Amino acid sequence: MNASLQAIAIDSPQYEAEAEYFEYSKAANPIAAKIISRIPYKTFPGALCATGESRVIPLDLSQELGCEGPATGPGLTANFIRLNAGDRLALQPNATSQVLYVIEGAGSLAYGDSSFEWSKGCFMALPGLLSTQLSATADARFYYVHDEPLLRYLGVERTQDRFQPTLYPAAVANAKLREAAEDPRASDRSRVSILLGNRNFPQTRTVTHVLWAMYGIVPAGAVQKAHRHQSIALDFIIDCPVGCYTLVGAQVDEHGKIQNPTRIDWEPGLAFVTPPGYWHAHFNESTEEAFLIPIQDAGLQTYLRSLDIRFT
């Protein structure tokens, strides 16, 4: 070794102050060892944004996750937004990807030089470099997901926009979903749904490079068979009759039935967390359709080749 380099190695113990060493079996699976927490099941009722002043309402699980908040999962924050008629709200998380679904109301959005009007049932995908200005002409509520916790964990700031603000009008999204539902092969598929895409991300076919947004129907009397994936799902129930629910569990038996499941009963406006890697199935035991939106970090997971969707 070069003498000067050897001197640095010997005489610079401060560079070793943060170094640690672990025997492999005690560190390779920190979840099993309970060093890091699992993502919990959690529901958030729509009543959280039913009344009150205009505001963003984070669905925060940072205490359970042991991370800085607000965060609903390690890399994502889900929120409700209430925006009363005549009010304005500014959104500017340190995020690269934002998706909003308009639960009710009408108004306009401005992002830099881009502006458009929105109404009930619209989806909007936004980058994060600039501030978003929301204005309401009628009392409005939103379901809103962004990736600020991911950037916070990486210790980075957004530096560029990867796509333009994008509007998915309700009439177009509904028509595309109905087209999928009326396809003669729909009953042979695992689900009746569409994925929102953006032409900037042809490899992942997702709404942003980080986020995936699905708009789906669970038909009357249908069961969406158990499946799992390695992305967290932040689910929102748009509308449903009584008799709709999700079963979630860590394992399935030889018949594909979820063992010792947790049951999540649906109601309109409900948001809930489905942890990554857990089997889950959706049930509609009514005589009417139900509608839901799962938003996931599956854009990122797909790009990393780690999403690993599996069906029983």
Side-chain angles (χ1 to χ4, degrees):
M1 180 184 294
N2 180 283
S4 61
L5 293 179
Q6 185 177 26
I8 291 174
I10 294 173
D11 298 334
S12 303
Q14 69 270 26
Y15 296 115
E16 301 179 30
E18 297 184 358
E20 294 183 325
Y21 305 88
F22 301 101
E23 189 277 319
Y24 175 84
S25 65
K26 296 181 176 62
N29 191 345
I31 292 180
K34 298 183 179 180
I35 298 169
I36 192 171
S37 63
R38 294 185 181 275
I39 295 174
Y41 304 124
K42 184 69 176 181
T43 61
F44 302 91
L48 290 172
C49 62
T51 60
E53 63 185 12
S54 297
R55 65 203 188 279
V56 178
I57 306 155
L59 310 183
D60 188 23
L61 294 177
S62 56
Q63 184 173 353
E64 293 89 334
L65 295 168
C67 67
E68 185 180 348
T72 318
L76 302 177
T77 298
N79 310 261
F80 289 134
I81 297 176
R82 180 167 184 84
L83 183 58
N84 294 321
D87 286 355
R88 301 182 65 184
L89 274 178
L91 308 176
Q92 195 170 18
N94 179 32
T96 73
S97 300
Q98 306 174 77
V99 169
L100 297 99
Y101 172 75
V102 184
I103 303 170
E104 68 172 357
S108 61
L109 177 148
Y111 181 94
D113 295 332
S114 302
S115 61
F116 49 76
E117 295 183 347
W118 46 263
S119 58
K120 180 179 179 179
C122 290
F123 294 84
M124 295 173 280
L126 306 169
L129 191 60
L130 305 176
S131 175
T132 298
Q133 302 295 322
L134 287 175
S135 301
T137 55
D139 287 352
R141 294 181 294 132
F142 302 82
Y143 183 59
Y144 169 45
V145 177
H146 60 72
D147 64 352
E148 183 177 51
L150 175 62
L151 277 68
R152 187 189 303 135
Y153 177 71
L154 295 174
V156 298
E157 298 280 339
R158 65 263 191 271
T159 58
Q160 64 175 6
D161 284 345
R162 296 288 311 282
F163 59 97
Q164 297 296 317
T166 305
L167 174 68
Y168 301 81
V172 178
N174 289 333
K176 293 294 186 182
L177 180 58
R178 189 54 58 187
E179 181 182 327
E182 294 175 355
D183 188 302
R185 296 164 293 179
S187 61
D188 298 326
R189 294 171 177 155
S190 61
R191 61 202 60 252
V192 178
S193 65
I194 58 172
L195 289 177
L196 305 184
N198 185 297
R199 67 181 183 181
N200 290 289
F201 312 113
Q203 290 184 310
T204 61
R205 294 190 167 185
T206 49
V207 68
T208 81
H209 54 302
V210 173
L211 298 179
W212 140 326
M214 190 186 88
Y215 180 27
I217 296 172
V218 182
V223 176
Q224 288 189 352
K225 293 183 179 180
H227 62 288
R228 71 178 187 183
H229 38 73
Q230 294 309 113
S231 58
I232 186 174
L234 304 177
D235 296 297
F236 177 75
I237 304 304
I238 300 172
D239 196 15
C240 67
V242 175
C244 297
Y245 60 92
T246 294
L247 297 182
V248 187
Q251 297 181 347
V252 292
D253 62 20
E254 64 273 19
H255 305 294
K257 184 177 180 180
I258 298 173
Q259 297 182 307
N260 302 313
T262 295
R263 174 167 168 155
I264 301 168
D265 288 294
W266 293 10
E267 60 182 45
L270 179 75
F272 64 93
V273 175
T274 302
Y278 276 59
W279 294 98
H280 48 289
H282 305 310
F283 298 79
N284 183 350
E285 296 178 349
S286 79
T287 58
E288 302 173 38
E289 294 177 326
F291 297 83
L292 76 159
I293 303 169
I295 299 180
Q296 308 172 34
D297 55 2
L300 177 61
Q301 298 289 349
T302 299
Y303 181 73
L304 295 175
R305 284 69 165 175
S306 59
L307 183 59
D308 193 26
I309 297 179
R310 299 189 185 189
F311 297 86
T312 55

